[in-house]
Amino acid sequence: MAAGWQQLAVAPLFFLLLLLLLSGVLTLPLGGENKRTPTCGYESCHATKPNMLNVHLVPHTHDDVGWLKTVDQYFYGDRNDIQHAGVQYILDSVVDQLLKNPDRRFIYVETAFFYRWWKRQSSGEQQTVKQLVNEGRLEFVNGGWCMSDEATTHYSAVVDQMTMGLRFLNETFGPCGRPRVAWHIDPFGHAREHASMFAQMGYDGFFFGRLDYQDRTRRMLAQEQELLWRASDSLRAANGILPNGYNPPEGFCWDQSCDDPPIRDDPDLEDYNVDDVVMRFLAIAKSQATAYKTNHIIMTMGSDFQYENANLWYKNLDKLIRYVNARQGNGSRVNVVYSTPSCYLQELHRANLTWALKTDDFFPYADSAHDFWTGYFTSRPALKRYERVSNSHLQTCNQLEVLGGPVSRNGPFGEGNSQTMKKAMAVAQHHDAVSGTEKQHVANDYARRLADGWRHCQVLVSNSLAALTGSSAKRIYCDNLNISVCPLTESSKKFSVSVYNPLARPVTWPVRLPVNGTAYTVSDAKGQPVDCQVVPVSRATREVRKNRGFAINELVFQVQAPPLGFSTYSVSLLQDGPPPAAATKHRAPTAIQNKVFTLRKSEIGTIVSLSNLETGQSISLTQNFYWYNASDGNNSESDQPSGAYIFRPNSSTPFVISQRAKTETVQNSVVQEVRQWFAPWVSQVVRLYSDSRALELEWTVGPLPIDDSLGKEVITRLDTSIKTCEMFYTDSNGREVLQRKKDFRPTWNLKQSEPIAGNYYPINSRAFIKDDKDQLTVVTDRSQGGGSIHNGSLEIMLHRRLLYDDVRGVAEPLNETSAIFPEGLVVRGRLLLSLERPPAAADAHRPLAQEAVLQPLLTFVDGGLSPDTRLEFSGLQAALPPAVHLLTLTQWDGDSVLLRLEHQFQSRESRVNSQPVTVNLQKLFSTLEVIGVSEMNLSANQWKDEMIRFAWTPQTDSEAPPPKASGDASSTWEVTLRPMEIRTFLLRVALR
Amino acid sequence: MAAGWQQLAVAPLFFLLLLLLLSGVLTLPLGGENKRTPTCGYESCHATKPNMLNVHLVPHTHDDVGWLKTVDQYFYGDRNDIQHAGVQYILDSVVDQLLKNPDRRFIYVETAFFYRWWKRQSSGEQQTVKQLVNEGRLEFVNGGWCMSDEATTHYSAVVDQMTMGLRFLNETFGPCGRPRVAWHIDPFGHAREHASMFAQMGYDGFFFGRLDYQDRTRRMLAQEQELLWRASDSLRAANGILPNGYNPPEGFCWDQSCDDPPIRDDPDLEDYNVDDVVMRFLAIAKSQATAYKTNHIIMTMGSDFQYENANLWYKNLDKLIRYVNARQGNGSRVNVVYSTPSCYLQELHRANLTWALKTDDFFPYADSAHDFWTGYFTSRPALKRYERVSNSHLQTCNQLEVLGGPVSRNGPFGEGNSQTMKKAMAVAQHHDAVSGTEKQHVANDYARRLADGWRHCQVLVSNSLAALTGSSAKRIYCDNLNISVCPLTESSKKFSVSVYNPLARPVTWPVRLPVNGTAYTVSDAKGQPVDCQVVPVSRATREVRKNRGFAINELVFQVQAPPLGFSTYSVSLLQDGPPPAAATKHRAPTAIQNKVFTLRKSEIGTIVSLSNLETGQSISLTQNFYWYNASDGNNSESDQPSGAYIFRPNSSTPFVISQRAKTETVQNSVVQEVRQWFAPWVSQVVRLYSDSRALELEWTVGPLPIDDSLGKEVITRLDTSIKTCEMFYTDSNGREVLQRKKDFRPTWNLKQSEPIAGNYYPINSRAFIKDDKDQLTVVTDRSQGGGSIHNGSLEIMLHRRLLYDDVRGVAEPLNETSAIFPEGLVVRGRLLLSLERPPAAADAHRPLAQEAVLQPLLTFVDGGLSPDTRLEFSGLQAALPPAVHLLTLTQWDGDSVLLRLEHQFQSRESRVNSQPVTVNLQKLFSTLEVIGVSEMNLSANQWKDEMIRFAWTPQTDSEAPPPKASGDASSTWEVTLRPMEIRTFLLRVALR
């Protein structure tokens, strides 16, 4: 990176960057301390032989950042009774073994582990490792904090975790520590958005191992296991390369965890087997070569937590290479080398061929006819929600760390930090974390880490708000407002609530606080009264909160909060007494409505229609809850049960939980809601706030009964009059939207063998169905699985409780209980429904979904506020344009911050918003002066203009190439964003 | 050793040894090449703290030289599906880890493995290892080729295997490679003879782990886990020290094969556990200290095949030592050090205490009330016999290598060697080899190695005999004469048979050859006719040989062979025709007899009495076969079944196989025999050769029927009129004899819980019962288990076939079948019975037993011999005195040979023979001139006069110390042997 720096002198950013260089701001994050000319990266690859089949042996370990054991248990090798795995020993051992033979190579992937190990090494050991990295003998690939899940993660958190891992590598090792390839060998299906992100992070290639078995068969025959992936409709494209899984070929696993025969090359001992080993290897290499295009093939020599005793692997690999290559003297045309994925990729690139093009994604993933990995889209819905809420908390924490200045980290409430939360969120992105495919005790550990991170953030947030408000009054956090628990509001007669909005535009937000009074006054930051209502706590809420709270009522009002800022509302008890008699009505009207929507319900208590008053749309809409009976693995077609990974209903027809719902209706000036009660374990509130542009369906599901010994997978299903023609649409990691068609895959002729599970897709933030007139969009509050099985229908899986393990390793049935819910977990969540005309739908669902992701943070102060307290604040000079989302604002180091701005609309998605938009960085912040800027790649480990990736040629490409990446037209400070573009800036800032 | 050499200048042997030094003969075996002053051994021990409890942590691995896998599979780490174990990696890893911290220590035990590893190392790696050895960081203990079994081995083979292992260490590492302690942590009970051998090999101490659970309990209470062991009635005594097993304390196993929690000392990570680990360790150390006498305790930090990834162990041990010792700053009085058994032993020695005295042995071993490890005394009787025969072959091979000169190794029949057989025999001594406690495929491997060794020896023997006879006629070996199979004799009309006698005195020996003629002439080396007879092959023999041979008759005659020499007999077919009608008699006489014995049998076909005509003794003697019904592990007292290790009949009363026997009698001038047929699977021949001083009982047992689903353990039982008073006598490893008393142990009050199995003892070469008048001695042809359950009775277990594994790890039922015997193994063997007056009994059984161990080797030459063939030869100038046994004569290197002479009588055992006896070494050999001699310790890895062992004081000792070790009275060449003494000499020789 230090060398690259010089080139910047002739770049447009010259003057500014030179300034930054002199000030030293940017040198630390981007430069390693080792000044020797490194020979890492592509230059360090072993020579291959052009006229031979070259076999690239890639020694690697796949270290799950939590799965059967917690991340720290994995690191230390604790609880080896569960699984033998100790990452500290893997790294010890690999380094020792690399030193023994300079030809040897190793790749390492998960920085969460590497970081833990690195900080325990002596400086001498660290120096040794740096040398190995500089010589390309130890190479980092992927390099994020973890190898994130692709089906259940939100891009915001993935970008964060990748940034954290890559930053550590960059700061520790400099350019030689920068991974050249992405490496997602284990995630259970692959999201197009991940490919898009990896392209924007500068990776030259993307390797993975799991794809549908039918897809793989076709690709092997067609030699399309190497391919180009156009990963965005709006942006251009990473290339993805598929090796054959991430395990070694059969018979060649020499890890301590394997039983394959070692190479026995002492002729004095029994069973000399060199000839046999060489022959078997040559046969496998030649067979594998038939399914790939070039005279280079890759073999992944390693697997889960392997190389704890690397000597076993390397000793035998050394021999394998020696003996196989010795055959060249006898005319063999196979050449074996130690290699890395990047060295293999370089050879593919040198081959200068054209490659198959892929534009959709790799969901759903099936490894056999009845084994669709679509259950984990929903598994552990509570954890999935907690992860999503935590991301919101973390972004708020990051923003307030910047806005509050250094006092945030060490202020009146003590030492706070965002780092703990960042790490907790980063490990939670792992493909056995938020995915829900870990053991229960590990899920608990992820949650505990998030809670711990939030505790550290709370101190920071309190410090920051103290600075921004000028008041050091103690701030109370109520994390259980979704179940009406908040000891302060339940007992206090006078308190204030500050609403911090992490979005770059103002929001209106409903607030519901548990109270025991029957009448309150609420006033806003300007002292104006705010319309508020008291409604009784519902039966469902009382049941789910148990003895954690005792409020009988909820105080409901709507608040507004400025961009990147807060507004403070004061609440005072007016009188104590019984709730207004009319608050809930058992004989309810047949409709509820607000300014936008009218929702009708039937006599049996269920929804029947939805109308948009503004657009004049009206659709029939019925909604109900159903459960699929999970296969127990005991049937004639397959012995596959439903489990943490796999969704496999034993019938395509779900059981309705109840045809009819008991209802209560609440209608007042703030909110209108129908409280539906379907069963002791399923209830819902259908809700319209007066100002809302979405219909809220707040579902409460659980504990799922299992006394009938039947595993249950509960869905909510929306059946409409929309003519869907077997299509529906889902987002990819919360960003772009993909079209899904029933029983269809764009790139191969699907033989559908699971009519439900085989039509399920991940829904990270939204799904929609539409026809020419109507688009019904559902915005979720977490990742869920769903599908459109029938015409006009959209179903979303909410909760799962299963009695069998699905034999993918986790070795536990997904049967969640907890200390609070020993009889089975109860989960509550919300769907937000938007009915719009299709051309304008994105204008509604894009901001709606961002509001669901980055929700306001409420903090409370008991009693009255001192008069000089600042009640309202915005960190921005003005709201950003509607198309622009402020994705990241976080402290980078002493006086620099990382900023990501995102165009949140796809091309052609919105008539008004799918246009390039320009923002002036100098005019962005209200309290920060931006005194330097330099653009970086998405993961902030490379200057944007140094990011030069391999160019690849697709076999066929009907589309025109996209316009050039945004040049910054008028001035350094004006940045233009094209649809879906994310731009990443390192800003040097000072408090104004 | 180089330093020690100087001291020899003042020793009596000065002149001779100086000569040898100049000639270079003795420098190689005894001097390492590294000349630096080493600080190995006791000097390299870490300092301890006198006022604290010192905990000696001993990192070690226990590497079975074959058990569940073959020795080579273990070495390479092949077949890890059976058991994860790869010794090559253990040594790789330990060396790497020792280099990382000079405080670390490791002990290594099994030279069979170390040798395999060493020869694959580069010279640089070898130099590194030498450095570790010279600094005492890598220390060899025990150091034999294997850790021999103690219950089923013969001392001759044990001495050989120890010598081979220790020689390798000595030649490779010099004095620093010499083990200071014996280390038998795994063998299943301990023989006194092993302690005796170890004392004579110069070990300062002897550690083991397994002893009777009642014995251990008592010793723990009495602090007698350290003790002195007077290991010979005739010689003095090794001290044996008992640690508590060979595993680490519970919770402190950090091997990759263990699941104990690692030390988690990063306070940033979950589950910091340093305080917990330290507290648990201190508690264990203090508890353990209560059962030992000094302020030093030992903890064995390792176990079976551990340290394959030594980093796991050492990383945590480093931390343990650091954190435990850090507590000393807070007043802790526990000090932990890396240590070795010798360092621990040195501290015990420094304590200068007195120690409990032990004079008996540690058999039988029970680890629980119903779990007596007495089954393996007999397990795999065929392998046990093959091992014993192989020892005889090896000694012959060794002797002929010396006597035949260099041409033996490369002569007319090609290249031969004794080394292959030596190694095969050495691994066969392992405590899961000849013990019969290995898996079937491993047993097959031991046998295959022995067969392979014998093939190499056959070439050597043929070459040697060609040199000694002057004839290069092809020699034929018939290894299956015991079942009347020898293709040559079956078809040839004229052949010769040479009888090589490996004993140092002449022997008479019966020869039985399968033939198809009915009359032969036999003439001896002088051309004199020899009385010979033709008898029909018995039904039992036809059944057991199956289609491996087709002879209808056996030619029987007695041969004589000179000491360490051969005699050749010529055989010619006289006529073909039917066998003499009178050869077998179905209506047999009631007695058979020869010059010494008369044996009577009853009308039902069984023996009833035995008389010695010379001594006028006569006893009633009945003999029959019985089987114990093996426990299947399903009963109220215990779930322990009989298995490869454990003997547990489910009733104390065995079933008789048949009360009566069908008989045939053969009587002629050479042999008289009664052929008894008890059942399809049990038959016997009771046989008296005309010149024999023993009654032969040749039993044939098998296939044991299991179609009744009952495991069977077959015994032969001799019931006599001898008044045994609950006593009987067994040998220890074929040497000294121990008295056994029913339901009694000399050193603790036995609670007998298994009336049969708890009274079984190993019989390696003989057992006897006696009263004042009569001693009936039974000499066995292999190791077997036996007991005296009833007055006058002696039973010996012959064969076992079991249907259940006995849960000691081998994980197979002992149910032997083979390609030839798919229905179950048939085993044949011989007991030799001698009836004598007690004071003279040893004069008969000592030579008888040696004849059974070192039996003559027959070689055949087809057709006539050329006239200049030498037909008779003795390697000795004269037979040695009856008390002297030539234990070892083997080539050492170019012009030196190793000689061991043994006094084969115990003190007071024989009026005539239990006296010191003197042999003149210069007058020993007929064809070799002895030009130099130096005496060594028993294992030939140290000069005898440099062998200075720790002195230890017993608590009580009523016996007077034995006379000083034999000084060589008159001249250098005259060596005197006291009862049971073995003296070992390295001789420089030249062919006369």
Side-chain angles (χ1 to χ4, degrees), chain A residues 465-471 475 498 525 566-568 865-875 926-927:
Chain A
L465 289 178
L468 295 173
T469 61
S471 159
R475 293 203 171 256
S498 289
F566 60 85
S567 191
T568 304
L865 293 168
S866 72
D868 53 354
T869 304
R870 184 169 181 181
L871 298 181
E872 198 155 47
F873 167 83
S874 173
S926 62
T927 56

Side-chain angles (χ1 to χ4, degrees), chain B residues 680-872:
Chain B
W681 47 285
V682 176
S683 61
Q684 182 170 253
V685 182
V686 182
R687 186 180 281 145
L688 278 173
Y689 287 99
S690 60
D691 291 335
S692 172
R693 296 194 63 86
L695 172 72
E696 177 181 331
L697 302 182
E698 187 187 53
W699 50 271
T700 304
V701 177
L704 305 195
I706 50 170
D707 43 9
D708 54 5
S709 298
L710 301 176
K712 295 186 180 58
E713 324 211 26
V714 175
I715 60 166
T716 180
R717 197 174 78 203
L718 305 167
D719 293 299
T720 72
S721 52
I722 297 171
K723 297 170 195 68
T724 56
C725 298
E726 308 204 311
M727 309 278 198
F728 85 120
Y729 300 83
T730 63
D731 68 312
S732 181
N733 296 132
R735 287 244 298 161
E736 299 195 41
V737 171
L738 287 133
Q739 185 187 67
R740 310 297 188 179
K741 187 173 177 193
K742 190 179 167 196
D743 296 334
F744 177 80
R745 305 285 186 265
T747 55
W748 82 92
N749 288 326
L750 174 70
K751 285 186 199 146
Q752 185 58 280
S753 41
E754 283 285 329
I756 307 300
N759 281 306
Y760 259 55
Y761 291 89
I763 300 169
N764 299 114
S765 65
R766 80 210 74 182
F768 55 79
I769 51 177
K770 66 174 182 176
D771 58 17
D772 291 347
K773 298 200 320 285
D774 300 309
Q775 175 169 334
L776 180 69
T777 306
V778 180
V779 169
T780 65
D781 60 350
R782 76 200 71 190
S783 288
Q784 294 169 313
S788 174
I789 309 298
H790 308 290
N791 187 28
S793 170
L794 176 64
E795 64 183 57
I796 295 176
M797 189 176 290
L798 303 177
H799 196 4
R800 323 176 69 213
R801 191 173 190 190
L802 304 170
L803 304 177
Y804 299 93
D805 176 59
D806 55 359
V807 209
R808 291 306 187 282
V810 73
E812 276 182 7
L814 184 71
N815 182 355
E816 294 179 282
T817 59
S818 73
I820 294 169
F821 298 107
E823 72 282 18
L825 216 55
V826 182
V827 185
R828 170 171 282 184
R830 285 189 319 185
L831 303 178
L832 298 176
L833 272 58
S834 144
L835 176 65
E836 301 287 345
R837 297 294 177 197
D843 299 327
H845 72 67
R846 286 283 170 198
L848 190 63
Q850 292 296 15
E851 279 174 42
V853 169
L854 293 184
Q855 61 184 33
L857 172 67
L858 308 189
T859 61
F860 299 87
V861 172
D862 197 13
L865 294 168
S866 71
D868 54 352
T869 305
R870 184 170 180 179
L871 298 181
E872 199 156 47

Side-chain angles (χ1 to χ4, degrees), chain A residues 23-26 28-29 167 171 401-402 405-407 409 890-898 928 931 986-991:
Chain A
S23 75
V25 171
L26 293 186
L28 264 182
R167 181 180 183 183
E171 292 183 0
E401 185 175 7
V402 173
V407 74
R409 293 183 291 277
T890 187
Q891 200 72 30
W892 188 259
D893 52 26
D895 49 6
S896 64
V897 300
L898 191 73
L928 299 176
I931 51 179
L986 196 56
L987 305 182
R988 187 166 175 235
V989 296
L991 280 172

Side-chain angles (χ1 to χ4, degrees), chain B residues 127 129 185 287 551 679 744 790 831 866 902 915:
Chain B
Q127 213 48 50
V129 175
I185 54 180
S287 162
F744 177 80
H790 308 290
L831 303 178
S866 71
E902 174 185 6
Q915 302 297 332

Side-chain angles (χ1 to χ4, degrees), chain A residues 14-69:
Chain A
F14 166 68
F15 181 72
L16 170 68
L17 289 165
L18 191 61
L19 181 80
L20 292 172
L21 177 64
L22 291 174
S23 75
V25 171
L26 293 186
T27 50
L28 264 182
L30 297 173
E33 61 194 59
N34 198 311
K35 299 297 181 199
R36 272 177 292 182
T37 307
T39 57
C40 58
Y42 296 119
E43 288 167 43
S44 64
C45 298
H46 287 301
T48 57
K49 300 197 173 177
N51 52 350
M52 291 194 183
L53 173 63
N54 292 282
V55 184
H56 294 249
L57 300 183
V58 177
H60 79 106
T61 182
H62 174 66
D63 297 347
D64 287 303
V65 179
W67 179 36
L68 310 183
K69 311 202 292 190

Side-chain angles (χ1 to χ4, degrees), chain B residues 251-325:
Chain B
F252 291 85
C253 182
W254 286 310
D255 193 68
Q256 68 176 31
S257 64
C258 299
D259 298 334
D260 289 340
I263 297 185
R264 300 178 299 255
D265 57 345
D266 185 341
D268 294 347
L269 302 192
E270 281 182 275
D271 303 330
Y272 178 87
N273 70 345
V274 171
D275 299 334
D276 170 65
V277 169
V278 170
M279 276 194 18
R280 284 191 291 116
F281 184 83
L282 292 175
I284 288 170
K286 286 168 184 167
S287 162
Q288 187 178 325
T290 63
Y292 287 85
K293 265 189 160 174
T294 74
N295 65 329
H296 292 267
I297 59 173
I298 185 171
M299 292 186 184
T300 46
M301 306 310 274
S303 194
D304 293 3
F305 295 98
Q306 294 199 355
Y307 286 78
E308 185 172 312
N309 193 355
N311 178 38
L312 278 63
W313 260 116
Y314 283 114
K315 193 169 189 177
N316 286 287
L317 286 175
D318 283 355
K319 291 179 184 178
L320 181 74
I321 292 170
R322 181 162 78 247
Y323 292 122
V324 170
N325 289 349

